[in-house]
Amino acid sequence: MFTGLVEEVGTVVEVTTRPEGRRMTIRAPGIAPGLTDGASVAVDGACLTVAALEAATFAVDVVPATLARTIAGAYQAGTRVNLERALRLGDRLGGHLVQGHVDGVGSLVSRTDPAPGDGARLLTFRIPREVARATILHGSITLNGVSLTVSELPGPDLVRIAIVPFTWEHTNLAALAPGAPVNVEGDLIGKYVGKLLSVHTPDSPQG
């Protein structure tokens, strides 16, 4: 479990193709010393397991299903990735409950620089329809592992997010250009509520 508060923006330094997928080595001098073999790390919001460690780097194995469902298949040496270690029981939950289970890939539609006196940038994303159905105004959504609040819902599969300067400077969202893909995880509570409503209907034997 994660919070969507990025601890460090790491850099992919090596990608090796293997029969079972790919091994990716990520330079992250800020969090690598606190990791252990087998630890969980959210890489752009996808929960991955540490397979190898060095002083300032860690490696993860990414299976074909994850490569197909996330943006990890496009990673190469030099790619900057948002990183967060797993939440410890008792830690402050500064963002929202994030599983690290990516629901699908969205894309940046447009971005608007801040108006004078307003430090927030407005970014509009197209998100998978199943995520959009569980997304509400002023609710939570995770994009590339970043916990964000929905500012507007300008279309059936669109969300608009206001990015404050701190988030802009401490995540990889600033590197996105229109058309760029992003990992999307919908709000955990919204997904469960949606599932319950779809299953437990008045006509359902379980209702």
PDB file of all heavy atoms in Angstrom, residues 23 37 49-54 57-60:
ATOM      1  N   ARG A  23      14.358  -6.703 -16.802  1.00  0.00           N
ATOM      2  CA  ARG A  23      14.932  -6.219 -15.547  1.00  0.00           C
ATOM      3  C   ARG A  23      15.359  -4.773 -15.760  1.00  0.00           C
ATOM      4  O   ARG A  23      16.051  -4.454 -16.734  1.00  0.00           O
ATOM      5  CB  ARG A  23      16.106  -7.066 -15.092  1.00  0.00           C
ATOM      6  CG  ARG A  23      16.833  -6.455 -13.896  1.00  0.00           C
ATOM      7  CD  ARG A  23      17.712  -7.432 -13.153  1.00  0.00           C
ATOM      8  NE  ARG A  23      16.903  -8.391 -12.390  1.00  0.00           N
ATOM      9  CZ  ARG A  23      17.390  -9.114 -11.366  1.00  0.00           C
ATOM     10  NH1 ARG A  23      18.655  -8.990 -11.002  1.00  0.00           N
ATOM     11  NH2 ARG A  23      16.610  -9.953 -10.719  1.00  0.00           N
ATOM     12  N   ASP A  37      16.042  -6.361  -0.120  1.00  0.00           N
ATOM     13  CA  ASP A  37      15.608  -7.306  -1.148  1.00  0.00           C
ATOM     14  C   ASP A  37      14.178  -7.748  -0.856  1.00  0.00           C
ATOM     15  O   ASP A  37      13.827  -8.079   0.281  1.00  0.00           O
ATOM     16  CB  ASP A  37      16.529  -8.526  -1.171  1.00  0.00           C
ATOM     17  CG  ASP A  37      17.896  -8.214  -1.751  1.00  0.00           C
ATOM     18  OD1 ASP A  37      17.993  -7.254  -2.533  1.00  0.00           O
ATOM     19  OD2 ASP A  37      18.864  -8.923  -1.414  1.00  0.00           O
ATOM     20  N   THR A  49       8.753  -5.228  -7.156  1.00  0.00           N
ATOM     21  CA  THR A  49       9.536  -5.838  -6.075  1.00  0.00           C
ATOM     22  C   THR A  49      11.022  -5.676  -6.324  1.00  0.00           C
ATOM     23  O   THR A  49      11.507  -5.939  -7.438  1.00  0.00           O
ATOM     24  CB  THR A  49       9.197  -7.337  -5.956  1.00  0.00           C
ATOM     25  OG1 THR A  49       7.800  -7.475  -5.680  1.00  0.00           O
ATOM     26  CG2 THR A  49       9.988  -7.993  -4.835  1.00  0.00           C
ATOM     27  N   VAL A  50      11.741  -5.253  -5.303  1.00  0.00           N
ATOM     28  CA  VAL A  50      13.189  -5.090  -5.418  1.00  0.00           C
ATOM     29  C   VAL A  50      13.843  -6.456  -5.568  1.00  0.00           C
ATOM     30  O   VAL A  50      13.706  -7.325  -4.715  1.00  0.00           O
ATOM     31  CB  VAL A  50      13.759  -4.362  -4.184  1.00  0.00           C
ATOM     32  CG1 VAL A  50      15.285  -4.316  -4.241  1.00  0.00           C
ATOM     33  CG2 VAL A  50      13.171  -2.952  -4.084  1.00  0.00           C
ATOM     34  N   ALA A  51      14.567  -6.639  -6.681  1.00  0.00           N
ATOM     35  CA  ALA A  51      15.216  -7.922  -6.968  1.00  0.00           C
ATOM     36  C   ALA A  51      16.714  -7.887  -6.690  1.00  0.00           C
ATOM     37  O   ALA A  51      17.332  -8.936  -6.466  1.00  0.00           O
ATOM     38  CB  ALA A  51      14.988  -8.317  -8.427  1.00  0.00           C
ATOM     39  N   ALA A  52      17.296  -6.699  -6.693  1.00  0.00           N
ATOM     40  CA  ALA A  52      18.733  -6.561  -6.438  1.00  0.00           C
ATOM     41  C   ALA A  52      18.996  -5.144  -5.955  1.00  0.00           C
ATOM     42  O   ALA A  52      18.293  -4.203  -6.333  1.00  0.00           O
ATOM     43  CB  ALA A  52      19.541  -6.868  -7.690  1.00  0.00           C
ATOM     44  N   LEU A  53      20.036  -5.011  -5.130  1.00  0.00           N
ATOM     45  CA  LEU A  53      20.348  -3.721  -4.517  1.00  0.00           C
ATOM     46  C   LEU A  53      21.837  -3.419  -4.606  1.00  0.00           C
ATOM     47  O   LEU A  53      22.667  -4.317  -4.473  1.00  0.00           O
ATOM     48  CB  LEU A  53      19.947  -3.724  -3.042  1.00  0.00           C
ATOM     49  CG  LEU A  53      18.545  -3.294  -2.642  1.00  0.00           C
ATOM     50  CD1 LEU A  53      18.341  -3.554  -1.154  1.00  0.00           C
ATOM     51  CD2 LEU A  53      18.307  -1.826  -2.957  1.00  0.00           C
ATOM     52  N   GLU A  54      22.137  -2.134  -4.812  1.00  0.00           N
ATOM     53  CA  GLU A  54      23.492  -1.627  -4.617  1.00  0.00           C
ATOM     54  C   GLU A  54      23.364  -0.337  -3.821  1.00  0.00           C
ATOM     55  O   GLU A  54      22.262   0.025  -3.386  1.00  0.00           O
ATOM     56  CB  GLU A  54      24.189  -1.425  -5.968  1.00  0.00           C
ATOM     57  CG  GLU A  54      24.466  -2.737  -6.701  1.00  0.00           C
ATOM     58  CD  GLU A  54      25.346  -2.568  -7.913  1.00  0.00           C
ATOM     59  OE1 GLU A  54      25.927  -1.462  -8.072  1.00  0.00           O
ATOM     60  OE2 GLU A  54      25.448  -3.516  -8.703  1.00  0.00           O
ATOM     61  N   THR A  57      21.464   2.214  -6.264  1.00  0.00           N
ATOM     62  CA  THR A  57      20.555   1.715  -7.286  1.00  0.00           C
ATOM     63  C   THR A  57      19.797   0.495  -6.779  1.00  0.00           C
ATOM     64  O   THR A  57      20.220  -0.170  -5.835  1.00  0.00           O
ATOM     65  CB  THR A  57      21.306   1.319  -8.573  1.00  0.00           C
ATOM     66  OG1 THR A  57      22.162   0.205  -8.302  1.00  0.00           O
ATOM     67  CG2 THR A  57      22.123   2.485  -9.121  1.00  0.00           C
ATOM     68  N   PHE A  58      18.673   0.208  -7.424  1.00  0.00           N
ATOM     69  CA  PHE A  58      17.959  -1.036  -7.185  1.00  0.00           C
ATOM     70  C   PHE A  58      17.414  -1.539  -8.510  1.00  0.00           C
ATOM     71  O   PHE A  58      17.216  -0.764  -9.461  1.00  0.00           O
ATOM     72  CB  PHE A  58      16.845  -0.869  -6.153  1.00  0.00           C
ATOM     73  CG  PHE A  58      15.692  -0.007  -6.602  1.00  0.00           C
ATOM     74  CD1 PHE A  58      14.554  -0.568  -7.162  1.00  0.00           C
ATOM     75  CD2 PHE A  58      15.730   1.379  -6.444  1.00  0.00           C
ATOM     76  CE1 PHE A  58      13.487   0.208  -7.566  1.00  0.00           C
ATOM     77  CE2 PHE A  58      14.666   2.179  -6.839  1.00  0.00           C
ATOM     78  CZ  PHE A  58      13.546   1.588  -7.401  1.00  0.00           C
ATOM     79  N   ALA A  59      17.177  -2.837  -8.585  1.00  0.00           N
ATOM     80  CA  ALA A  59      16.657  -3.445  -9.810  1.00  0.00           C
ATOM     81  C   ALA A  59      15.319  -4.093  -9.526  1.00  0.00           C
ATOM     82  O   ALA A  59      15.077  -4.615  -8.433  1.00  0.00           O
ATOM     83  CB  ALA A  59      17.646  -4.473 -10.352  1.00  0.00           C
ATOM     84  N   VAL A  60      14.440  -4.049 -10.526  1.00  0.00           N
ATOM     85  CA  VAL A  60      13.123  -4.686 -10.442  1.00  0.00           C
ATOM     86  C   VAL A  60      12.911  -5.516 -11.703  1.00  0.00           C
ATOM     87  O   VAL A  60      13.407  -5.186 -12.782  1.00  0.00           O
ATOM     88  CB  VAL A  60      11.992  -3.648 -10.300  1.00  0.00           C
ATOM     89  CG1 VAL A  60      12.073  -2.938  -8.965  1.00  0.00           C
ATOM     90  CG2 VAL A  60      12.019  -2.642 -11.446  1.00  0.00           C
TER      91      VAL A  60
END
